[in-house]
Amino acid sequence: MEVNQDYELPCGRELETLWENLDEADDHQAECVHCRTARESLLALRSATQELIDEPDPTPPDLVGRIMSAVRAEVRRGQMLDLSAAEPGSVEVSEQAVAVVLRYAADSAGDVRARRVRVRKVGVDSSGAAQVEVELTLATRLGNTSGADTLARVRELVSAAATSRVGISLISLDLLVEDVYEDGE
């Protein structure tokens, strides 16, 4: 199906013909008010288009900052860990995301606060899930008289979260108590 997109000026000339001969005005185009007006508009359009071609958009002032933010976010994310997947394909999670889940699990034990979580991939199990070693530093509440029981509870919660919430195999979990805090801090 052919679509006719010709635009005819009131004088009978087609705009397409005027555009094709824009640099060479004939006698009619020089005298006709409709052709002169259309020709001036087309010349302005061509000039504006050429300016856009000649002067590319300036670099946004915050471009470098946005790029560096993306780079920093990628670095903070850490290594990607494979998870076992029931369906074909692969599923990955960042070390940082795993650390957040494990920190939350440790905090829920009571009488301790997770400080720093280091997750390090050491292998892959038979299901395709990452095997990791975790080092978790903690602060314990001043007056906590059941330190061994609290650490056992942290170990239980963090191990369960690694397996059931994230889907990774926890090979080792090192708990380090490095600080004491008072209620209200």
Side-chain angles (χ1 to χ4, degrees):
M1 178 176 153
E2 186 176 308
V3 178
N4 185 356
Q5 294 182 345
D6 293 337
Y7 177 77
E8 193 173 289
L9 297 172
C11 65
R13 293 272 174 114
E14 291 186 4
L15 190 61
E16 183 68 26
T17 304
L18 194 62
W19 176 255
E20 290 171 359
N21 303 314
L22 195 56
D23 293 322
E24 306 162 1
D26 61 20
D27 291 338
H28 171 81
Q29 292 172 0
E31 298 293 321
C32 175
V33 68
H34 303 292
C35 287
R36 268 197 330 257
T37 303
R39 188 170 181 277
E40 288 171 13
S41 295
L42 291 173
L43 285 169
L45 175 64
R46 183 172 69 180
S47 174
T49 303
Q50 191 61 47
E51 283 181 34
L52 289 173
I53 292 169
D54 293 342
E55 294 182 29
D57 289 338
T59 304
D62 64 337
L63 180 63
V64 173
R66 290 185 358 221
I67 290 171
M68 291 311 297
S69 292
V71 168
R72 286 185 201 104
E74 189 65 29
V75 169
R76 283 191 304 262
R77 188 179 309 168
Q79 183 178 1
M80 298 303 285
L81 304 173
D82 296 320
L83 303 178
S84 62
E87 300 293 324
S90 65
V91 178
E92 295 179 326
V93 64
S94 71
E95 287 177 345
Q96 180 188 17
V98 172
V100 168
V101 172
L102 300 183
R103 181 179 291 113
Y104 179 78
D107 286 345
S108 66
D111 291 333
V112 294
R113 293 182 184 159
R115 292 292 172 108
R116 185 176 57 248
V117 182
R118 290 192 179 134
V119 178
R120 188 172 66 91
K121 181 179 177 180
V122 293
V124 177
D125 69 12
S126 60
S127 70
Q131 295 176 319
V132 299
E133 294 178 342
V134 174
E135 181 181 290
L136 178 62
T137 59
L138 303 163
T140 187
R141 185 180 57 79
L142 182 65
N144 181 0
T145 58
S146 59
D149 292 339
T150 302
L151 291 179
R153 179 79 177 134
V154 168
R155 185 174 299 282
E156 176 187 331
L157 291 170
V158 170
S159 297
T163 305
S164 64
R165 295 209 181 262
V166 180
I168 57 174
S169 295
L170 190 60
I171 299 301
S172 70
L173 173 59
D174 295 330
L175 300 177
L176 305 167
V177 178
E178 68 176 13
D179 199 3
V180 176
Y181 70 93
E182 290 185 73
D183 287 330
E185 282 184 5

